[in-house]
């Protein structure tokens, strides 16, 4: 691999600065999803087992270079202690004497957590002076924050340039999974891309059609592609001004030998609310006063056949308005089909980005997928074919 792992750098007796992404959702002071916190445990444990001292660097939310008390990482000390089963010593600044004192006060088996890196004006500017001040605290840099790797910040990029560096266990697992899904996948490959808008995913679609054999388009995005083909979609969410762009993606796909799959039947309703009266109809028959809110069963059956013919699947975004019933049916059924093929050893399935994980959790299949990324924006940028600065800085 073109980057170091925890097995390639000397950690015994070293102070290891570990960039993690514990930007977790919180509600009224409580963490509502512990996933990102739980996922750093293998890295923390391995560093301590190898005799290193763990100092965590992380951001929380977007304080924009100022101290915003509600965005203090202090609120995560107790959840971290619960997840890691170790004492967490908090340093109320991420550089300078306060940080040094926290590191000095911690025992070898404790974990140090330093304050929100984004409280520093130099963090988002990737200021070399801030990277140098962070580097002065330790001996080795470990980046375990794949989900923040699309940011070229002092703690995600600059630090890797000034200290011996390595990818943490989670970072390495994310990179391996993504390589297996798009870098050098077993073919055929199918990508499922859903969500509301084509306009936010043009680069992603344009990149995918050159890399995958089948592209399934779902959600509101599919309506825009239908409009581009002259199909009437009534009052459905669609970006009519993106129709030419959709046709361009179609042409690009054709040239690259990628088949695009759109809904052949649809679930329509007159109102967008849970339990609204709905009908399954042919895609050509959408009434002018109806909205398309999900794909129909024939579409799902066709997708299952595509999945069964493929060896690798990469999934981003729901197929319908999955957050309200019954318009989660296609997403659930397709996700269950992917999960079953994965369990049978016939499919490598990788998913990530924004709503996707919530949709797969709701479908009860997250455990069955080969890999679910912790990343939102970073997963999308990676699907767009962009270099992630936090990953690039680890390469040698
Ligand atoms: C995320 O939550 O996606 C990451 O922590 C990155 O956060 P950001 O979008 O504020 O850079
Ligand atoms: Mg974000």
């Amino acid at each position: 691999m073109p980057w170091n792992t925890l097995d390639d750098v000397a950690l015994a007796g070293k102070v290891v600065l570990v960039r993690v992404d514990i930007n977790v959702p919180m509600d009224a002071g409580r963490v509502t999803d512990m996933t990102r916190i739980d996922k750093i445990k293998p890295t923390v444990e391995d560093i301590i087992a190898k005799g290193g001292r763990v100092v965590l660097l992380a951001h929380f939310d977007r304080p924009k270079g100022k101290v915003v008390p509600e965005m203090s990482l202090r609120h995560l000390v107790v959840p971290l202690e619960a997840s890691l089963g170790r004492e967490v010593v908090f340093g109320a600044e991420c550089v300078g004497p306060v940080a040094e004192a926290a590191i000095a006060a911690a025992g070898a088996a404790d974990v140090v957590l330093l304050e929100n890196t984004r409280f520093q004006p130099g963090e988002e500017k990737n200021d070399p002076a801030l990277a140098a001040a962070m580097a002065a605290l330790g001996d080795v840099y470990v980046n375990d924050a794949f989900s923040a790797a699309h940011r070229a910040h002092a703690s995600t990029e600059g630090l890797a340039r000034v200290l011996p560096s390595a990818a943490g266990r989670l970072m390495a697992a994310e990179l391996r999974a993504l390589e297996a899904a798009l870098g050098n996948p077993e073919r055929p490959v199918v990508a499922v891309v859903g969500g509301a808008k084509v306009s936010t995913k043009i680069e992603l679609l344009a990149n995918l059609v050159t890399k995958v054999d089948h592209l399934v388009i779902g959600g509101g995005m599919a309506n825009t592609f239908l409009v581009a083909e002259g199909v009437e979609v009534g009052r459905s969410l669609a970006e009519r001004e993106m129709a030419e762009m959709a046709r361009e993606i179609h042409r690009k796909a054709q040239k690259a030998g990628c088949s695009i799959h759109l809904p052949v039947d649809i679930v329509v309703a007159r109102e967008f609310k849970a339990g609204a009266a709905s009908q399954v109809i042919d895609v050509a028959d959408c009434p002018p006063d109806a909205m398309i809110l999900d794909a129909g069963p024939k579409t799902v059956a066709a997708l299952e056949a595509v999945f069964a013919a493929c060896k690798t699947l990469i999934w981003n975004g729901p197929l319908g308005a999955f957050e309200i019933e019954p318009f989660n049916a296609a997403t659930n059924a397709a996700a269950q089909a992917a999960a079953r093929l994965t369990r049978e050893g016939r499919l490598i399935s990788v998913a990530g980005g924004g709503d996707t994980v919530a949709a797969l959790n709701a479908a009860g299949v997250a455990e069955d997928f080969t890999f679910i990324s912790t990343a939102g924006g970073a997963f999308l940028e990676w699907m767009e074919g962009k270099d992630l600065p936090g990953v690039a800085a680890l390469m040698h």
Side-chain angles (χ1 to χ4, degrees):
M1 271 173 296
W3 61 84
N4 290 324
T5 71
L6 297 182
D7 305 314
D8 303 313
V9 286
L11 297 174
K14 309 282 191 203
V15 173
V16 186
L17 304 177
V18 189
R19 179 54 159 100
V20 292
D21 185 358
I22 48 175
N23 192 23
V24 288
M26 290 185 81
D27 185 29
R30 294 180 62 96
V31 177
T32 55
D33 180 355
M34 285 286 286
T35 308
R36 283 181 171 176
I37 290 177
D38 294 339
K39 294 261 184 185
I40 68 171
K41 191 168 171 142
T43 295
V44 169
E45 289 307 315
D46 280 5
I47 292 170
I48 294 172
K50 288 170 186 284
R53 311 252 321 262
V54 172
V55 178
L56 301 179
L57 290 169
H59 74 280
F60 189 82
D61 213 330
R62 295 176 175 171
K64 297 270 166 228
K66 300 211 168 56
V67 175
V68 180
E70 309 85 79
M71 298 181 192
S72 172
L73 284 176
R74 195 185 290 277
H75 307 304
L76 294 184
V77 168
V78 171
L80 266 171
E81 286 186 329
S83 176
L84 297 173
R86 293 184 179 274
E87 185 153 337
V88 172
V89 176
F90 184 68
E93 285 175 36
C94 71
V95 284
V98 173
E100 279 164 24
I103 295 168
D110 298 342
V111 169
V112 177
L113 173 67
L114 300 180
E115 184 57 287
N116 195 338
T117 54
R118 291 186 185 173
F119 284 0
Q120 299 287 328
E123 167 70 338
E124 296 194 46
K125 295 185 188 123
N126 201 0
D127 181 353
L130 179 60
M134 289 170 173
L137 300 172
D139 308 299
V140 178
Y141 171 68
V142 168
N143 190 346
D144 213 24
F146 174 77
S147 48
H150 55 321
R151 309 295 182 208
H153 296 173
S155 70
T156 61
E157 203 273 355
L159 252 183
R161 308 254 174 226
V162 290
L163 281 181
S165 64
R169 298 300 186 207
L170 176 59
M171 172 70 89
E174 295 263 9
L175 294 177
R176 267 197 308 273
L178 299 189
E179 178 66 13
L182 264 197
N184 189 18
E186 283 193 49
R187 293 193 175 272
V189 184
V190 53
V192 175
V193 180
K197 291 185 170 178
V198 172
S199 52
T200 59
K201 293 195 180 168
I202 292 167
E203 287 180 74
L204 186 152
L205 295 171
N207 183 46
L208 282 181
V209 293
T210 67
K211 300 237 163 100
V212 304
D213 305 288
H214 297 273
L215 174 62
V216 174
I217 298 178
M221 292 174 57
N223 302 338
T224 300
F225 275 80
L226 292 170
V227 166
E229 294 189 348
V231 177
E232 294 297 334
V233 299
R235 287 168 49 231
S236 306
L237 175 72
E239 296 171 284
R240 289 168 202 279
E241 68 288 359
M242 297 304 297
E244 183 45 38
M245 190 59 76
R247 283 191 286 269
E248 179 58 35
I249 293 197
H250 249 298
R251 284 191 288 271
K252 214 175 164 184
Q254 218 156 23
K255 235 171 102 187
C258 168
S259 316
I260 293 188
H261 302 266
L262 293 173
V264 292
D265 60 344
I266 49 180
V267 181
V268 295
R270 262 73 184 178
E271 42 184 357
F272 181 50
K273 67 168 205 211
S278 63
Q279 268 175 289
V280 176
I281 53 174
D282 197 84
V283 73
D285 298 335
C286 183
D289 63 338
M291 285 177 283
I292 304 173
L293 293 176
D294 201 8
K298 280 190 210 151
T299 304
V300 172
L303 295 190
E304 289 187 23
V306 173
F307 292 180
C310 285
K311 293 222 168 84
T312 304
L313 168 130
I314 177 159
W315 187 316
N316 170 259
L319 295 178
F322 82 102
E323 61 279 21
I324 59 171
E325 285 188 39
F327 309 112
N328 53 358
T331 301
N332 284 355
Q336 276 150 12
R340 179 172 35 76
L341 290 163
T342 307
R343 277 197 307 272
E344 290 168 359
R346 294 164 59 192
L347 192 67
I348 294 164
S349 51
V350 176
D355 277 351
T356 314
V357 179
L360 297 181
N361 276 325
V365 301
E367 299 290 301
D368 290 321
F369 269 56
T370 310
F371 191 82
I372 300 224
S373 177
T374 54
F379 191 85
L380 295 178
E381 289 200 22
W382 172 81
M383 279 182 96
E384 289 167 2
K386 292 193 179 139
D387 268 339
L388 304 181
V391 174
L394 292 175
M395 299 292 173
H396 49 241

